[in-house]
Coordinates of all heavy atoms in Angstrom, one line a residue:
M11 N -20.7 11.2 -41.1 CA -21.2 11.8 -42.3 C -22.5 12.6 -41.9 O -23.5 12.1 -41.4 CB -21.6 10.7 -43.3 CG -22.3 11.3 -44.6 SD -21.3 12.2 -45.6 CE -22.3 12.4 -47.0
I12 N -22.4 13.9 -42.2 CA -23.6 14.7 -41.8 C -24.7 14.7 -42.8 O -24.5 14.6 -44.0 CB -23.1 16.2 -41.6 CG1 -24.2 17.1 -41.0 CG2 -22.6 16.8 -42.9 CD1 -23.7 18.4 -40.4
A13 N -25.9 14.7 -42.3 CA -27.1 14.5 -43.2 C -27.6 15.8 -43.8 O -27.5 16.8 -43.1 CB -28.3 13.9 -42.3
R14 N -28.0 15.7 -45.1 CA -28.6 16.9 -45.7 C -29.9 17.2 -45.1 O -30.6 16.3 -44.5 CB -28.8 16.5 -47.2 CG -27.6 16.6 -48.1 CD -27.8 16.1 -49.5 NE -28.8 17.0 -50.1 CZ -29.2 16.8 -51.4 NH1 -28.7 15.8 -52.1 NH2 -30.1 17.6 -52.0
L15 N -30.2 18.5 -45.1 CA -31.5 18.9 -44.6 C -32.6 18.4 -45.5 O -32.4 18.3 -46.7 CB -31.6 20.4 -44.5 CG -30.6 21.1 -43.6 CD1 -30.8 22.7 -43.7 CD2 -30.8 20.7 -42.1
T16 N -33.7 18.1 -44.9 CA -34.9 17.7 -45.8 C -35.4 19.0 -46.4 O -35.1 20.1 -46.0 CB -36.0 17.1 -45.0 OG1 -36.5 18.1 -44.0 CG2 -35.5 15.9 -44.2
A17 N -36.3 18.9 -47.4 CA -36.8 20.1 -48.1 C -37.5 21.0 -47.1 O -37.4 22.2 -47.1 CB -37.7 19.6 -49.2
N18 N -38.3 20.3 -46.2 CA -39.0 21.1 -45.1 C -38.0 21.8 -44.2 O -38.2 23.0 -43.9 CB -39.9 20.2 -44.3 CG -41.2 19.8 -45.1 OD1 -41.5 20.5 -46.1 ND2 -41.8 18.8 -44.7
E19 N -37.0 21.1 -43.7 CA -36.0 21.7 -42.8 C -35.4 22.9 -43.5 O -35.1 23.9 -43.0 CB -35.0 20.7 -42.4 CG -35.5 19.6 -41.5 CD -34.5 18.5 -41.3 OE1 -33.7 18.2 -42.3 OE2 -34.5 17.9 -40.2
R20 N -35.0 22.7 -44.8 CA -34.3 23.7 -45.6 C -35.2 24.9 -45.7 O -34.8 26.1 -45.4 CB -34.0 23.2 -47.0 CG -33.2 24.2 -47.8 CD -32.7 23.7 -49.1 NE -33.9 23.3 -49.9 CZ -34.1 22.1 -50.4 NH1 -33.3 21.1 -50.1 NH2 -35.2 21.8 -51.2
D21 N -36.5 24.7 -46.0 CA -37.4 25.9 -46.2 C -37.6 26.6 -44.9 O -37.6 27.8 -44.9 CB -38.8 25.4 -46.7 CG -38.6 24.8 -48.2 OD1 -37.6 25.1 -48.8 OD2 -39.6 24.1 -48.6
E22 N -37.7 25.8 -43.8 CA -37.9 26.5 -42.5 C -36.6 27.3 -42.1 O -36.7 28.4 -41.7 CB -38.1 25.4 -41.4 CG -39.5 24.9 -41.3 CD -39.7 23.7 -40.4 OE1 -38.7 23.5 -39.6 OE2 -40.7 23.0 -40.5
A23 N -35.4 26.7 -42.4 CA -34.2 27.4 -42.0 C -34.0 28.7 -42.8 O -33.7 29.7 -42.3 CB -33.0 26.5 -42.3
L24 N -34.3 28.6 -44.1 CA -34.2 29.8 -45.0 C -35.2 30.9 -44.6 O -34.8 32.1 -44.5 CB -34.4 29.4 -46.5 CG -33.2 28.8 -47.2 CD1 -33.6 28.2 -48.5 CD2 -32.2 29.9 -47.4
A25 N -36.4 30.4 -44.1 CA -37.4 31.4 -43.7 C -36.9 32.2 -42.4 O -37.2 33.3 -42.2 CB -38.7 30.7 -43.5
A26 N -36.1 31.4 -41.6 CA -35.7 32.0 -40.4 C -34.4 32.9 -40.5 O -34.1 33.7 -39.7 CB -35.4 30.9 -39.4
L27 N -33.8 32.8 -41.7 CA -32.6 33.6 -41.9 C -32.9 34.8 -42.7 O -33.8 34.8 -43.6 CB -31.6 32.7 -42.7 CG -30.9 31.6 -42.0 CD1 -30.2 30.7 -43.0 CD2 -29.9 32.1 -40.9
V28 N -32.2 35.9 -42.5 CA -32.5 37.2 -43.2 C -31.6 37.2 -44.5 O -30.3 37.1 -44.4 CB -32.2 38.4 -42.3 CG1 -32.3 39.7 -43.1 CG2 -33.1 38.4 -41.1
G29 N -32.2 37.4 -45.6 CA -31.4 37.7 -46.8 C -30.7 36.6 -47.6 O -30.1 36.8 -48.6
W30 N -30.9 35.4 -47.1 CA -30.4 34.2 -47.8 C -31.4 33.6 -48.7 O -32.6 33.6 -48.4 CB -29.9 33.1 -46.8 CG -28.7 33.6 -45.9 CD1 -28.8 34.3 -44.8 CD2 -27.4 33.3 -46.2 NE1 -27.5 34.5 -44.3 CE2 -26.6 33.9 -45.2 CE3 -26.7 32.7 -47.2 CZ2 -25.2 33.9 -45.1 CZ3 -25.3 32.6 -47.2 CH2 -24.6 33.2 -46.2
A31 N -30.9 33.2 -49.9 CA -31.9 32.7 -50.9 C -31.3 31.4 -51.4 O -30.1 31.2 -51.4 CB -32.0 33.7 -52.0
P32 N -32.2 30.4 -51.8 CA -31.7 29.2 -52.4 C -31.0 29.5 -53.7 O -31.3 30.4 -54.4 CB -33.0 28.4 -52.6 CG -34.1 29.3 -52.6 CD -33.6 30.5 -51.8
V33 N -30.0 28.7 -54.1 CA -29.3 28.8 -55.3 C -30.0 27.9 -56.4 O -30.4 26.8 -56.1 CB -27.8 28.3 -55.2 CG1 -27.1 28.3 -56.5 CG2 -27.0 29.1 -54.2
K34 N -30.2 28.5 -57.5 CA -31.0 27.8 -58.6 C -30.2 26.5 -59.0 O -29.0 26.5 -59.1 CB -31.1 28.7 -59.8 CG -32.0 28.2 -60.9 CD -32.2 29.3 -62.0 CE -33.1 28.9 -63.1 NZ -33.0 27.5 -63.6
D35 N -30.9 25.4 -59.1 CA -30.4 24.1 -59.5 C -29.3 23.6 -58.7 O -28.4 22.8 -59.1 CB -29.8 24.3 -61.0 CG -30.9 24.7 -62.0 OD1 -32.1 24.4 -61.7 OD2 -30.6 25.4 -62.9
R36 N -29.3 24.0 -57.4 CA -28.2 23.5 -56.5 C -28.7 23.5 -55.1 O -29.5 24.4 -54.7 CB -27.0 24.3 -56.6 CG -25.7 23.6 -56.1 CD -24.5 24.5 -56.1 NE -23.6 24.1 -55.1 CZ -22.6 24.8 -54.6 NH1 -22.3 26.0 -55.1 NH2 -21.8 24.3 -53.6
D37 N -28.4 22.5 -54.3 CA -28.8 22.5 -52.9 C -27.8 23.3 -52.1 O -26.9 22.8 -51.4 CB -28.9 21.0 -52.4 CG -29.5 21.0 -51.0 OD1 -30.1 22.0 -50.6 OD2 -29.4 19.9 -50.3
A38 N -28.0 24.6 -52.2 CA -27.1 25.6 -51.5 C -27.9 26.9 -51.3 O -29.0 27.0 -51.8 CB -25.9 25.9 -52.4
M39 N -27.3 27.8 -50.5 CA -28.0 29.1 -50.3 C -26.9 30.2 -50.4 O -25.7 30.0 -50.2 CB -28.7 29.1 -49.0 CG -27.8 29.0 -47.8 SD -28.8 28.9 -46.3 CE -27.5 29.0 -45.0
T40 N -27.4 31.4 -50.8 CA -26.5 32.5 -51.0 C -27.0 33.8 -50.5 O -28.2 34.0 -50.4 CB -26.2 32.6 -52.6 OG1 -25.2 33.6 -52.8 CG2 -27.5 33.0 -53.3
R41 N -26.1 34.7 -50.1 CA -26.5 36.0 -49.7 C -25.3 37.0 -50.2 O -24.2 36.6 -50.1 CB -26.6 36.1 -48.2 CG -27.0 37.5 -47.7 CD -27.3 37.6 -46.2 NE -27.6 39.0 -45.9 CZ -27.8 39.5 -44.6 NH1 -27.7 38.6 -43.6 NH2 -28.0 40.8 -44.4
T42 N -25.7 38.1 -50.6 CA -24.8 39.2 -51.1 C -24.8 40.3 -50.1 O -25.8 40.8 -49.6 CB -25.1 39.7 -52.5 OG1 -24.9 38.6 -53.4 CG2 -24.1 40.8 -52.9
F43 N -23.6 40.7 -49.7 CA -23.4 41.8 -48.7 C -22.7 43.0 -49.3 O -21.7 42.8 -50.1 CB -22.5 41.3 -47.5 CG -23.1 40.1 -46.8 CD1 -22.8 38.8 -47.3 CD2 -23.8 40.2 -45.6 CE1 -23.3 37.7 -46.7 CE2 -24.3 39.1 -45.0 CZ -24.1 37.8 -45.5
M44 N -23.2 44.2 -49.0 CA -22.6 45.4 -49.6 C -22.1 46.2 -48.4 O -22.8 46.4 -47.4 CB -23.7 46.2 -50.3 CG -23.1 47.4 -51.0 SD -22.4 47.0 -52.6 CE -23.8 46.8 -53.6
F45 N -20.8 46.7 -48.5 CA -20.2 47.4 -47.4 C -19.9 48.9 -47.9 O -20.0 49.2 -49.1 CB -19.0 46.7 -46.9 CG -19.3 45.4 -46.3 CD1 -19.3 44.2 -47.1 CD2 -19.6 45.3 -45.0 CE1 -19.6 43.0 -46.6 CE2 -20.0 44.0 -44.4 CZ -20.0 42.9 -45.2
A46 N -19.4 49.7 -47.0 CA -19.1 51.1 -47.3 C -18.0 51.2 -48.3 O -17.9 52.1 -49.1 CB -18.8 51.9 -46.0
D47 N -17.0 50.3 -48.1 CA -15.8 50.3 -49.0 C -15.1 49.0 -48.9 O -15.5 48.1 -48.2 CB -14.9 51.5 -48.5 CG -14.6 51.4 -47.0 OD1 -14.5 50.3 -46.5 OD2 -14.4 52.5 -46.4
F48 N -14.0 48.9 -49.6 CA -13.3 47.6 -49.7 C -12.8 47.2 -48.3 O -12.9 46.0 -47.9 CB -12.1 47.7 -50.7 CG -11.3 46.5 -50.7 CD1 -11.7 45.3 -51.2 CD2 -10.0 46.5 -50.0 CE1 -11.0 44.1 -51.2 CE2 -9.3 45.3 -50.0 CZ -9.7 44.1 -50.6
K49 N -12.2 48.1 -47.5 CA -11.6 47.7 -46.3 C -12.7 47.2 -45.3 O -12.5 46.2 -44.5 CB -10.8 48.8 -45.6 CG -11.5 50.0 -45.1 CD -10.4 51.0 -44.5 CE -11.1 52.2 -43.9 NZ -11.9 52.9 -44.9
E50 N -13.9 47.7 -45.4 CA -15.0 47.1 -44.6 C -15.4 45.7 -45.0 O -15.6 44.8 -44.2 CB -16.3 48.1 -44.7 CG -16.1 49.4 -44.0 CD -15.9 49.3 -42.5 OE1 -16.6 48.5 -41.9 OE2 -15.0 50.0 -42.0
A51 N -15.4 45.6 -46.4 CA -15.7 44.3 -46.9 C -14.7 43.3 -46.5 O -15.0 42.1 -46.1 CB -15.8 44.4 -48.5
F52 N -13.4 43.7 -46.6 CA -12.3 42.7 -46.3 C -12.3 42.4 -44.8 O -12.0 41.3 -44.4 CB -11.0 43.3 -46.7 CG -10.0 42.2 -46.8 CD1 -9.9 41.3 -47.9 CD2 -9.0 42.0 -45.8 CE1 -9.0 40.3 -48.0 CE2 -8.1 40.9 -45.9 CZ -8.1 40.1 -47.0
A53 N -12.6 43.4 -43.9 CA -12.7 43.1 -42.5 C -13.8 42.1 -42.2 O -13.5 41.2 -41.4 CB -13.0 44.4 -41.8
F54 N -14.9 42.2 -42.9 CA -16.0 41.2 -42.7 C -15.5 39.9 -43.2 O -15.7 38.9 -42.5 CB -17.2 41.7 -43.6 CG -18.2 40.7 -43.8 CD1 -19.1 40.3 -42.8 CD2 -18.3 40.0 -45.1 CE1 -20.1 39.4 -43.0 CE2 -19.3 39.1 -45.3 CZ -20.2 38.7 -44.2
M55 N -14.8 39.8 -44.3 CA -14.3 38.5 -44.8 C -13.3 37.9 -43.8 O -13.3 36.7 -43.6 CB -13.6 38.7 -46.2 CG -14.6 39.1 -47.3 SD -13.8 39.4 -48.9 CE -13.5 37.7 -49.3
T56 N -12.5 38.7 -43.2 CA -11.5 38.2 -42.2 C -12.3 37.6 -41.0 O -11.9 36.5 -40.6 CB -10.6 39.4 -41.7 OG1 -10.0 39.9 -42.9 CG2 -9.6 38.9 -40.7
R57 N -13.3 38.2 -40.6 CA -14.1 37.7 -39.5 C -14.8 36.3 -39.9 O -14.8 35.4 -39.1 CB -15.2 38.7 -39.0 CG -14.6 39.9 -38.4 CD -15.6 40.9 -37.9 NE -16.2 40.4 -36.6 CZ -17.2 41.0 -36.0 NH1 -17.8 42.0 -36.6 NH2 -17.6 40.5 -34.8
V58 N -15.3 36.3 -41.1 CA -16.0 35.1 -41.6 C -14.9 34.0 -41.7 O -15.2 32.8 -41.3 CB -16.7 35.3 -42.9 CG1 -17.2 34.0 -43.5 CG2 -17.8 36.3 -42.7
A59 N -13.8 34.3 -42.2 CA -12.7 33.3 -42.4 C -12.3 32.7 -41.0 O -12.2 31.5 -40.9 CB -11.5 33.9 -43.0
L60 N -12.2 33.5 -40.0 CA -11.8 33.0 -38.7 C -12.9 32.1 -38.1 O -12.7 31.0 -37.5 CB -11.5 34.1 -37.7 CG -10.2 34.9 -38.1 CD1 -10.1 36.2 -37.2 CD2 -9.0 34.1 -38.0
A61 N -14.2 32.5 -38.3 CA -15.3 31.7 -37.8 C -15.4 30.4 -38.6 O -15.6 29.3 -38.0 CB -16.6 32.5 -38.0
A62 N -15.1 30.4 -39.9 CA -15.1 29.2 -40.7 C -14.1 28.2 -40.3 O -14.3 27.0 -40.1 CB -15.0 29.6 -42.2
E63 N -12.9 28.8 -40.0 CA -11.8 27.9 -39.5 C -12.2 27.3 -38.2 O -12.0 26.1 -38.0 CB -10.5 28.7 -39.4 CG -9.6 28.7 -40.6 CD -9.3 27.3 -41.0 OE1 -8.4 26.7 -40.3 OE2 -9.9 26.8 -42.0
K64 N -12.8 28.1 -37.3 CA -13.1 27.6 -36.0 C -14.2 26.5 -36.1 O -14.1 25.5 -35.4 CB -13.7 28.7 -35.2 CG -13.8 28.5 -33.7 CD -14.2 29.8 -32.9 CE -14.5 29.5 -31.5 NZ -15.1 30.7 -30.8
M65 N -15.1 26.6 -37.1 CA -16.1 25.6 -37.3 C -15.7 24.5 -38.2 O -16.4 23.5 -38.3 CB -17.3 26.3 -38.0 CG -18.3 26.9 -37.2 SD -19.7 27.5 -38.2 CE -20.5 25.9 -38.6
D66 N -14.6 24.6 -38.8 CA -14.1 23.7 -39.9 C -15.2 23.6 -40.9 O -15.6 22.5 -41.3 CB -13.7 22.4 -39.3 CG -13.1 21.5 -40.4 OD1 -12.5 22.0 -41.3 OD2 -13.2 20.3 -40.3
H67 N -15.8 24.7 -41.3 CA -16.9 24.7 -42.3 C -16.7 26.0 -43.1 O -16.7 27.1 -42.5 CB -18.3 24.6 -41.7 CG -19.3 24.3 -42.7 ND1 -19.4 23.0 -43.2 CD2 -20.3 25.0 -43.2 CE1 -20.4 23.0 -44.1 NE2 -21.0 24.2 -44.1
H68 N -16.5 25.9 -44.4 CA -16.0 27.0 -45.2 C -16.9 27.5 -46.3 O -17.6 26.6 -46.9 CB -14.6 26.7 -45.8 CG -13.6 26.3 -44.7 ND1 -13.6 25.0 -44.1 CD2 -12.7 27.0 -44.0 CE1 -12.6 25.0 -43.2 NE2 -12.1 26.2 -43.1
P69 N -17.0 28.8 -46.5 CA -17.9 29.3 -47.5 C -17.3 29.2 -48.9 O -16.0 29.1 -49.1 CB -18.0 30.8 -47.1 CG -16.6 31.1 -46.5 CD -16.2 29.8 -45.8
E70 N -18.1 29.3 -49.9 CA -17.7 29.6 -51.3 C -18.0 31.1 -51.4 O -19.2 31.5 -51.2 CB -18.5 28.8 -52.3 CG -18.4 27.3 -52.1 CD -19.5 26.5 -52.8 OE1 -20.1 27.1 -53.8 OE2 -19.9 25.4 -52.4
W71 N -17.0 31.9 -51.8 CA -17.3 33.3 -51.8 C -16.5 34.0 -52.8 O -15.5 33.6 -53.4 CB -17.1 33.9 -50.4 CG -15.8 33.7 -49.7 CD1 -14.8 32.9 -50.2 CD2 -15.5 34.2 -48.4 NE1 -13.8 32.9 -49.2 CE2 -14.2 33.7 -48.2 CE3 -16.1 35.0 -47.5 CZ2 -13.5 34.0 -46.9 CZ3 -15.5 35.3 -46.3 CH2 -14.2 34.8 -46.0
S72 N -17.1 35.3 -53.1 CA -16.3 36.2 -54.1 C -16.5 37.6 -53.5 O -17.4 37.9 -52.8 CB -17.0 36.1 -55.5 OG -18.3 36.7 -55.4
N73 N -15.5 38.4 -53.9 CA -15.5 39.8 -53.4 C -15.1 40.7 -54.6 O -14.1 40.4 -55.3 CB -14.4 40.0 -52.3 CG -14.0 41.4 -52.1 OD1 -12.8 41.8 -52.3 ND2 -14.9 42.3 -51.8
I74 N -16.0 41.6 -54.9 CA -15.7 42.6 -55.9 C -15.8 44.0 -55.2 O -16.9 44.4 -54.8 CB -16.7 42.6 -57.0 CG1 -16.6 41.2 -57.7 CG2 -16.4 43.7 -58.0 CD1 -17.7 41.0 -58.8
Y75 N -14.7 44.6 -54.9 CA -14.6 45.9 -54.2 C -15.4 45.9 -52.9 O -14.9 45.2 -51.9 CB -15.1 47.0 -55.2 CG -15.0 48.4 -54.6 CD1 -13.8 48.8 -53.9 CD2 -16.0 49.3 -54.8 CE1 -13.8 50.1 -53.4 CE2 -16.0 50.6 -54.2 CZ -14.8 51.0 -53.5 OH -14.8 52.2 -53.0
K76 N -16.6 46.5 -52.8 CA -17.3 46.5 -51.5 C -18.4 45.5 -51.4 O -19.2 45.5 -50.4 CB -17.8 47.9 -51.2 CG -18.7 48.5 -52.2 CD -19.0 50.0 -51.9 CE -19.8 50.7 -53.0 NZ -20.0 52.1 -52.6
T77 N -18.4 44.6 -52.4 CA -19.5 43.6 -52.3 C -18.9 42.2 -52.1 O -17.8 41.8 -52.6 CB -20.2 43.5 -53.7 OG1 -20.7 44.8 -54.0 CG2 -21.3 42.5 -53.7
V78 N -19.5 41.5 -51.2 CA -19.1 40.1 -50.9 C -20.3 39.2 -51.1 O -21.4 39.4 -50.5 CB -18.6 40.0 -49.4 CG1 -18.2 38.5 -49.1 CG2 -17.5 40.9 -49.1
T79 N -20.1 38.2 -51.9 CA -21.2 37.2 -52.2 C -20.7 35.9 -51.6 O -19.6 35.4 -51.8 CB -21.5 37.0 -53.7 OG1 -21.9 38.3 -54.2 CG2 -22.6 36.0 -53.9
I80 N -21.6 35.3 -50.7 CA -21.3 34.0 -50.0 C -22.3 33.0 -50.4 O -23.5 33.3 -50.4 CB -21.3 34.2 -48.5 CG1 -20.2 35.3 -48.1 CG2 -21.1 32.9 -47.8 CD1 -20.1 35.5 -46.6
T81 N -21.8 31.8 -50.7 CA -22.7 30.7 -51.0 C -22.3 29.6 -50.0 O -21.1 29.3 -49.8 CB -22.5 30.1 -52.4 OG1 -22.9 31.2 -53.3 CG2 -23.4 28.9 -52.7
L82 N -23.3 29.0 -49.4 CA -23.0 27.9 -48.4 C -23.7 26.6 -48.8 O -24.8 26.6 -49.3 CB -23.6 28.3 -47.0 CG -23.0 29.6 -46.4 CD1 -23.7 29.9 -45.1 CD2 -21.5 29.4 -46.2
S83 N -22.9 25.6 -48.7 CA -23.4 24.2 -48.9 C -22.3 23.3 -48.3 O -21.2 23.7 -48.1 CB -23.5 23.9 -50.4 OG -24.1 22.6 -50.6
T84 N -22.7 22.1 -48.0 CA -21.8 21.2 -47.3 C -21.3 20.2 -48.4 O -22.0 19.3 -48.9 CB -22.4 20.4 -46.2 OG1 -22.9 21.4 -45.2 CG2 -21.5 19.5 -45.5
H85 N -20.0 20.3 -48.7 CA -19.5 19.5 -49.9 C -19.6 18.0 -49.6 O -19.9 17.2 -50.4 CB -18.0 20.0 -50.1 CG -17.9 21.4 -50.3 ND1 -16.9 22.2 -49.7 CD2 -18.7 22.3 -51.0 CE1 -17.1 23.5 -50.0 NE2 -18.2 23.6 -50.8
E86 N -19.3 17.7 -48.3 CA -19.3 16.2 -48.0 C -20.7 15.6 -48.2 O -20.8 14.4 -48.4 CB -18.9 16.0 -46.5 CG -17.4 16.3 -46.3 CD -17.1 16.6 -44.8 OE1 -18.0 16.3 -44.0 OE2 -16.0 17.0 -44.5
A87 N -21.7 16.4 -48.0 CA -23.1 15.9 -48.1 C -23.7 16.3 -49.4 O -24.8 15.9 -49.7 CB -23.9 16.5 -47.0
N88 N -22.9 17.1 -50.2 CA -23.4 17.6 -51.5 C -24.7 18.3 -51.4 O -25.7 18.1 -52.2 CB -23.5 16.4 -52.5 CG -23.6 16.9 -53.9 OD1 -23.2 18.0 -54.3 ND2 -24.3 16.1 -54.8
G89 N -24.9 19.1 -50.3 CA -26.1 19.8 -50.2 C -26.1 20.6 -48.8 O -25.1 20.6 -48.1
L90 N -27.2 21.2 -48.5 CA -27.3 22.0 -47.3 C -27.5 21.1 -46.1 O -28.3 20.1 -46.1 CB -28.6 22.9 -47.4 CG -28.4 24.2 -48.2 CD1 -29.7 24.9 -48.3 CD2 -27.4 25.1 -47.5
T91 N -26.7 21.4 -45.0 CA -26.8 20.7 -43.7 C -26.9 21.8 -42.6 O -26.8 23.0 -42.9 CB -25.6 19.9 -43.5 OG1 -24.5 20.7 -43.2 CG2 -25.3 18.9 -44.6
R92 N -27.1 21.3 -41.4 CA -27.2 22.1 -40.3 C -25.9 23.0 -40.1 O -26.0 24.2 -39.7 CB -27.4 21.3 -39.0 CG -27.6 21.9 -37.7 CD -28.8 22.8 -37.7 NE -30.0 22.3 -38.3 CZ -31.1 23.0 -38.6 NH1 -31.1 24.3 -38.4 NH2 -32.2 22.5 -39.1
R93 N -24.8 22.5 -40.6 CA -23.6 23.3 -40.5 C -23.7 24.6 -41.3 O -23.1 25.6 -40.9 CB -22.4 22.5 -41.0 CG -22.0 21.3 -40.0 CD -21.2 20.3 -40.7 NE -19.8 20.7 -40.9 CZ -18.8 20.7 -40.1 NH1 -19.1 20.2 -38.8 NH2 -17.6 21.0 -40.4
D94 N -24.3 24.5 -42.4 CA -24.5 25.7 -43.3 C -25.4 26.7 -42.6 O -25.1 27.9 -42.6 CB -25.1 25.3 -44.6 CG -24.2 24.4 -45.4 OD1 -23.0 24.7 -45.6 OD2 -24.7 23.2 -45.7
I95 N -26.4 26.2 -41.9 CA -27.3 27.1 -41.2 C -26.6 27.8 -40.1 O -26.7 29.0 -39.8 CB -28.6 26.4 -40.7 CG1 -29.3 25.6 -41.8 CG2 -29.5 27.3 -40.0 CD1 -29.6 26.4 -43.1
D96 N -25.8 27.0 -39.3 CA -25.1 27.5 -38.2 C -24.1 28.6 -38.6 O -24.0 29.6 -38.0 CB -24.3 26.4 -37.5 CG -25.3 25.4 -36.8 OD1 -26.5 25.8 -36.7 OD2 -24.9 24.3 -36.4
L97 N -23.4 28.3 -39.7 CA -22.4 29.3 -40.2 C -23.1 30.6 -40.7 O -22.7 31.7 -40.5 CB -21.5 28.7 -41.3 CG -20.5 29.7 -41.9 CD1 -19.6 30.2 -40.8 CD2 -19.6 28.9 -43.0
A98 N -24.3 30.4 -41.4 CA -25.0 31.6 -41.8 C -25.4 32.5 -40.7 O -25.3 33.7 -40.7 CB -26.2 31.1 -42.6
K99 N -25.8 31.9 -39.6 CA -26.3 32.7 -38.4 C -25.1 33.4 -37.8 O -25.2 34.6 -37.5 CB -26.8 31.7 -37.3 CG -28.2 31.2 -37.7 CD -28.8 30.3 -36.6 CE -30.2 29.8 -37.0 NZ -30.6 28.6 -36.1
I100 N -23.9 32.8 -37.8 CA -22.7 33.5 -37.3 C -22.4 34.7 -38.3 O -22.1 35.8 -37.8 CB -21.5 32.5 -37.2 CG1 -21.8 31.5 -36.1 CG2 -20.2 33.2 -37.0 CD1 -20.9 30.3 -36.0
I101 N -22.4 34.4 -39.6 CA -22.1 35.4 -40.6 C -23.1 36.6 -40.4 O -22.7 37.8 -40.4 CB -22.2 34.9 -42.0 CG1 -21.0 33.9 -42.2 CG2 -22.2 36.0 -43.1 CD1 -21.1 33.1 -43.5
D102 N -24.3 36.3 -40.3 CA -25.4 37.4 -40.1 C -25.1 38.2 -38.9 O -25.4 39.4 -38.8 CB -26.8 36.8 -40.1 CG -27.2 36.2 -41.4 OD1 -26.5 36.4 -42.4 OD2 -28.2 35.5 -41.5
G103 N -24.5 37.6 -37.9 CA -24.1 38.4 -36.7 C -23.0 39.4 -36.9 O -22.9 40.3 -36.1
F104 N -22.3 39.3 -38.0 CA -21.2 40.2 -38.3 C -21.7 41.5 -39.0 O -20.9 42.4 -39.2 CB -20.2 39.6 -39.1 CG -19.4 38.4 -38.4 CD1 -18.9 37.4 -39.2 CD2 -19.3 38.4 -37.0 CE1 -18.2 36.3 -38.5 CE2 -18.6 37.4 -36.4 CZ -18.1 36.3 -37.1
V105 N -23.0 41.5 -39.4 CA -23.5 42.7 -40.2 C -24.6 43.4 -39.4 O -25.1 42.8 -38.5 CB -24.0 42.3 -41.6 CG1 -22.8 41.8 -42.4 CG2 -25.1 41.3 -41.5
Ligands
LIG212 N1 -16.7 23.2 -45.7 N2 -18.6 23.9 -46.9 C1 -17.9 22.9 -46.4 N3 -18.2 21.7 -46.7 C2 -17.5 20.6 -46.2 O1 -17.8 19.5 -46.5 C3 -16.3 20.9 -45.5 C4 -16.0 22.2 -45.3 N4 -14.8 22.6 -44.6 C5 -13.9 21.6 -44.1 C6 -14.4 20.2 -44.2 N5 -15.5 19.9 -44.9 C7 -13.5 19.1 -43.6 O2 -14.2 18.6 -42.5 C8 -13.2 18.1 -44.6 O3 -12.5 18.7 -45.6 C9 -12.3 17.0 -43.9

């Protein structure tokens, strides 16, 4: 069972990530990505999906045309864990 980040660990991790913000009333973080068009957005989602499968850690996400919104939290821990930070860093590497 993976441990939730402490408040300090979470604050430090968010400060080190670009563009991710805490979700109101939930131990999760979110970032919205805007692309040139839908096919760029979907190509990004495909890369994220493959990385998520490889990590066995999956995003909560939505796509509207060229916008992709991703929320990360660890369901098993009911909050943010190191796995969310690791996946966010991989996702950020795709943009
Ligand atoms: N993704 N975000 C998230 N949180 C989880 O707890 C999680 C997951 N992907 C797969 C996964 N857990 C599996 O390990 C369990 O469903 C068995």
Side-chain angles (χ1 to χ4, degrees):
M11 172 71 172
I12 186 163
R14 283 175 59 178
L15 297 176
T16 64
N18 285 342
E19 288 169 330
R20 184 177 61 239
D21 293 347
E22 280 170 18
L24 277 168
L27 290 168
V28 173
W30 293 86
V33 174
K34 191 171 177 325
D35 300 334
R36 197 182 154 198
D37 190 12
M39 62 183 188
T40 188
R41 181 175 177 185
T42 295
F43 302 83
M44 185 82 75
F45 296 91
D47 51 31
F48 173 74
K49 67 180 184 300
E50 291 296 316
F52 198 79
F54 167 75
M55 292 179 77
T56 302
R57 296 183 76 187
V58 172
L60 294 172
E63 267 303 288
K64 192 172 174 188
M65 272 186 75
D66 189 29
H67 195 69
H68 301 83
E70 299 165 25
W71 51 359
S72 65
N73 161 242
I74 299 171
Y75 182 43
K76 55 187 175 181
T77 302
V78 179
T79 298
I80 298 179
T81 297
L82 298 177
S83 187
T84 302
H85 307 135
E86 289 162 12
N88 195 27
L90 280 173
T91 70
R92 186 56 48 192
R93 290 162 70 85
D94 299 303
I95 307 307
D96 293 346
L97 180 54
K99 286 177 181 169
I100 291 169
I101 290 169
D102 289 351
F104 294 151
V105 294

